[in-house]
Amino acid sequence: MATKIPVTVITGFLGSGKTSIIRHLLQNNQGRRIAVLVNEFGELGIDGELLKSCQICPEDETEANQETNIFELTNGCLCCTVQEEFYPTMRELIKRRDSIDYIIIETSGLALPKPLVKAFRWQEIRNAATVDAVITVVDCAAVAAGTFASDLEAIAAQRQEDDSLEHETPLQELFEDQLACADLVILNKTDLVDSETQAKVLEIVKHELPRVVKIVESDYGKLDPSILLGFAAAVEDNLDDRPSHHDTEEDHDHDDEINSTHVILDRTFDPEKLQARLEKLAQEQEIYRIKGFVAVENKLMRLVMQGVGNRFDKFYDRPWKVEETKQTSLVFIGRNLQSSEIESQLVSL
């Protein structure tokens, strides 16, 4: 039996910086042949397209089954579609094992890592691949702002005053489950907070870890590949010390109110005006994540725009291709999103 393909699962909340970390890894692969499996919550694949533009991976879609090492699953949360979505793709990757050194799996921001790791116990996968490590990416600035982690003392005080308060929100459970499964935690976007705030976030993260786990800091996802690869943890064989809120469930459901919608418009936008409108939408609706591509007038390059709450960043990633329609395509992930209102706000801009 040939050596098993090491698989790294990269998980983390929406907008934590998973794609940036993988993109940097691909651009600094040091000769490693890396295949990437990207799972997105929603029908429009933005992260996979960003990885294809890393200038390392072939972008010709006609070569998808022969050449490119980027695979996209866009039918929802990978932990909910393991059998339907993940298994067939892994079988194809296993067939190409002689030309692959590593597999990276980027889960959606709403995925639980543990159900995915359990799939590596299936005989056909177990014989050919092993989970080298689970890496959890934490948005340091978002945690500091309380976006998906709560002040434990404040919660205890409020619970004493109101017994009807829920113990945990679904997003808190997700944050905790992603940390509980980790072999490495990346505190990302540390450049956005001061040292005192970063220390507080570090304590929050340590509080949720069930065992000693290495924690590294990062900004813009720039980490040496040696930090991310080569753990040899065989995670599928030691899941007992990685507790999950869903260990007693046969299946799990995400909060039914969390949904994804997208808008595709054949027009250009002024980046600053568009960002202001998106910030307004984020205030009016409970939007967790905005990401996509923007066509800008008189610009030959495609603009990438990403937002978490009211914090946005944007950059030009590559020229528009001759055969491409210069469209603006944006994905929105949040709770009870009003799709028609989002589209009308952008159309009227």
Side-chain angles (χ1 to χ4, degrees), residues 15-16 138-145 187-195 197-198 201 218-220 308 311-313:
S16 58
V138 173
D139 182 335
C140 198
V143 173
L187 279 189
N188 202 28
K189 305 185 182 181
T190 53
D191 57 305
L192 299 178
V193 299
D194 57 31
S195 57
T197 302
Q198 184 176 324
V201 173
S218 168
D219 57 345
Y220 301 102
V308 179
R311 192 176 76 246
F312 283 79
D313 76 289

Side-chain angles (χ1 to χ4, degrees), residues 72-274:
E72 295 178 79
L73 304 179
T74 57
N75 285 345
C77 185
L78 188 57
C79 61
C80 302
T81 58
V82 168
Q83 187 167 351
E84 298 86 351
E85 297 290 325
F86 171 70
Y87 187 56
T89 304
M90 277 301 298
R91 289 183 66 183
E92 290 303 311
L93 287 171
I94 288 170
K95 290 178 183 177
R96 296 167 51 184
R97 59 189 299 178
D98 291 340
S99 61
I100 295 174
D101 297 319
Y102 287 89
I103 297 174
I104 307 294
I105 299 178
E106 178 187 350
T107 70
S108 83
L110 298 175
L112 298 168
K114 197 167 180 178
L116 172 60
V117 175
K118 286 181 179 178
F120 283 83
R121 292 176 169 178
W122 297 348
Q123 200 62 38
E124 187 171 350
I125 296 179
R126 189 186 192 96
N127 289 338
T130 181
V131 181
D132 184 68
V134 174
I135 297 176
T136 300
V137 185
V138 173
D139 182 335
C140 198
V143 173
T147 304
F148 57 92
S150 299
D151 184 323
L152 299 179
E153 293 182 358
I155 288 176
Q158 290 175 26
R159 187 169 291 124
Q160 288 179 355
E161 297 176 1
D162 186 352
D163 293 335
S164 67
L165 285 176
E166 293 182 0
H167 288 272
E168 293 166 307
T169 67
L171 294 182
Q172 281 180 303
E173 291 186 4
L174 175 58
F175 179 63
E176 292 162 11
D177 276 20
Q178 290 176 343
L179 286 173
C181 203
D183 296 281
L184 173 71
V185 174
I186 299 174
L187 279 189
N188 202 28
K189 305 185 182 181
T190 53
D191 57 305
L192 299 178
V193 299
D194 57 31
S195 57
E196 182 180 353
T197 302
Q198 184 176 324
K200 291 179 180 178
V201 173
L202 184 61
E203 287 306 309
I204 291 173
V205 170
K206 286 182 176 179
H207 183 273
E208 299 298 344
L209 292 172
R211 63 196 184 286
V212 177
V213 173
K214 184 177 181 181
I215 302 173
V216 298
E217 302 167 5
S218 168
D219 57 345
Y220 301 102
K222 296 179 179 179
L223 291 169
D224 190 279
S226 62
I227 296 175
L228 306 175
L229 306 175
F231 281 74
V235 181
E236 67 275 13
D237 293 332
N238 63 57
L239 285 174
D240 290 343
D241 62 346
R242 299 166 192 256
S244 166
H245 289 279
H246 305 274
D247 281 339
T248 59
E249 300 176 4
E250 287 294 324
D251 297 296
H252 79 277
D253 294 316
H254 293 298
D255 191 323
D256 291 338
E257 297 174 343
I258 295 178
N259 64 311
S260 168
T261 188
H262 65 268
V263 175
I264 301 177
L265 299 171
D266 292 331
R267 55 162 291 187
T268 61
F269 283 92
D270 176 282
E272 301 307 322
K273 291 181 179 178
L274 176 60

Side-chain angles (χ1 to χ4, degrees), residues 32-47:
R32 300 176 179 91
R33 299 168 299 176
I34 301 173
V36 181
L37 195 159
V38 183
N39 177 227
E40 297 203 58
F41 188 81
E43 297 176 358
L44 197 61
I46 298 297
D47 293 342

